[in-house]
Amino acid sequence: MNSTIGKRKVPVTAEHRIGLMGGAFNPVHYGHLAAAEEARESFLLERVIFLPCSQPVWPKGELADAEIRFSMVALAIAENKTFTCSRLELERSGPSYTADTLRFFHASHPDWRLFFITGLDAVLEFGSWRDPEGVLELAELLVVTRPPYQIPPSFPLSGNLRVHLIRTPGLALSSSEIRDRVRSGRSIRYLVPPLVAATIAKENLYQERKE
Ligand code: ATP
Ligand code: MG
């Protein structure tokens, strides 16, 4: 894997460097937002597009309604002009594969240089992604550290010039943990944006034990 690039200088060109971040966002939390912000700043991304999926490839726990997950992402990023969210994966029936999403953006915006932002946990499973070679042809991967996950010494993407590791202070925070806390009546304050917490309370989300 490439060494950390940090706040490297990139020549000013007409290039559009666009970050894409997929996930269930069930619900979105500060770990997602901090990862996207770190990627945006380190790689001078013009914009980060969040892509909540309609159905995760690997379903996990109680899944809130797709429209509600999407609206929580929209509320969470509302005050950040460089963050947007797209309905592309939401409107697909069945699971969303990153390769299909990248193909869509590549075809519709051939002038964009695509960076797919992912947590280290997801990229450790890279071999089981659909069409991993296609993914790396269409986008560079920005892999954000995520405690407690670590890169094993034999990690196959180490040294790949299209894969960049971004070291962050690291928030050991997951949607599973948020759902678990909600179900057991514990506070999620300071772990998710206030409007996300308000939506979870108003819609009575994550009360069922399905983990
Ligand atoms: P769940 O516990 O339900 O799997 P999650 O917190 O992993 O939820 P996802 O929607 O599955 O959230 O993740 C979307 C993307 O965000 C993935 O690439 C994941 O690795 C990344 N991600 C999630 N939480 C963090 C975090 N705390 N730090 C860095 N990346 C994260
Ligand atoms: Mg996950």
Side-chain angles (χ1 to χ4, degrees):
M1 200 173 276
N2 250 359
S3 55
T4 307
I5 296 205
K7 287 150 196 79
R8 68 177 186 177
K9 290 217 166 38
V10 172
V12 180
T13 62
E15 178 180 75
H16 296 290
R17 302 164 68 91
I18 306 294
L20 302 173
M21 188 163 184
F25 300 108
N26 182 38
V28 63
H29 53 69
Y30 280 129
H32 298 126
L33 300 169
E37 178 66 359
E38 195 77 24
R40 184 199 62 74
E41 185 180 51
S42 306
F43 280 80
L44 303 179
L45 304 178
E46 191 177 296
R47 182 168 4 145
V48 175
I49 305 175
F50 290 78
L51 294 145
C53 62
S54 64
Q55 203 182 310
V57 177
W58 294 287
K60 198 170 165 189
E62 179 188 341
L63 184 66
D65 174 78
E67 289 296 339
I68 295 180
R69 285 184 286 112
F70 182 87
S71 73
M72 289 193 283
V73 173
L75 290 168
I77 65 174
E79 46 72 50
N80 186 337
K81 286 198 185 69
T82 58
F83 286 1
T84 58
C85 58
S86 157
R87 298 182 63 86
L88 177 73
E89 293 201 354
L90 203 72
E91 278 163 9
R92 243 185 234 148
S93 57
S96 273
Y97 294 99
T98 301
D100 297 337
T101 299
L102 294 176
R103 252 176 235 114
F104 169 85
F105 282 105
H106 182 69
S108 55
H109 300 280
D111 57 329
W112 285 4
R113 179 167 168 189
L114 300 174
F115 293 86
F116 190 79
I117 304 164
T118 167
L120 184 53
D121 60 307
V123 93
L124 290 177
E125 315 275 317
F126 192 64
S128 58
W129 290 25
R130 180 174 282 191
D131 188 12
E133 295 83 11
V135 168
L136 277 176
E137 248 168 57
L138 293 161
E140 286 162 73
L141 286 188
L142 302 184
V143 181
V144 184
T145 52
R146 178 179 188 185
Y149 301 94
Q150 302 220 340
I151 303 172
S154 58
F155 186 55
L157 291 178
S158 296
N160 188 311
L161 294 177
R162 290 182 63 77
V163 180
H164 312 282
L165 180 67
I166 301 179
R167 292 191 193 278
T168 69
L171 295 176
L173 194 54
S174 67
S175 300
S176 305
E177 159 98 19
I178 304 293
R179 295 191 297 273
D180 209 35
R181 283 172 165 264
V182 171
R183 199 171 36 243
S184 48
R186 294 176 64 202
S187 171
I188 55 170
R189 198 172 193 181
Y190 308 125
L191 302 180
V192 300
L195 291 174
V196 172
T199 305
I200 291 171
K202 178 165 160 269
E203 303 287 341
N204 217 13
L205 303 180
Y206 309 126
Q207 299 299 328
E208 289 174 51
R209 169 157 285 286
K210 283 195 188 161
E211 307 293 322

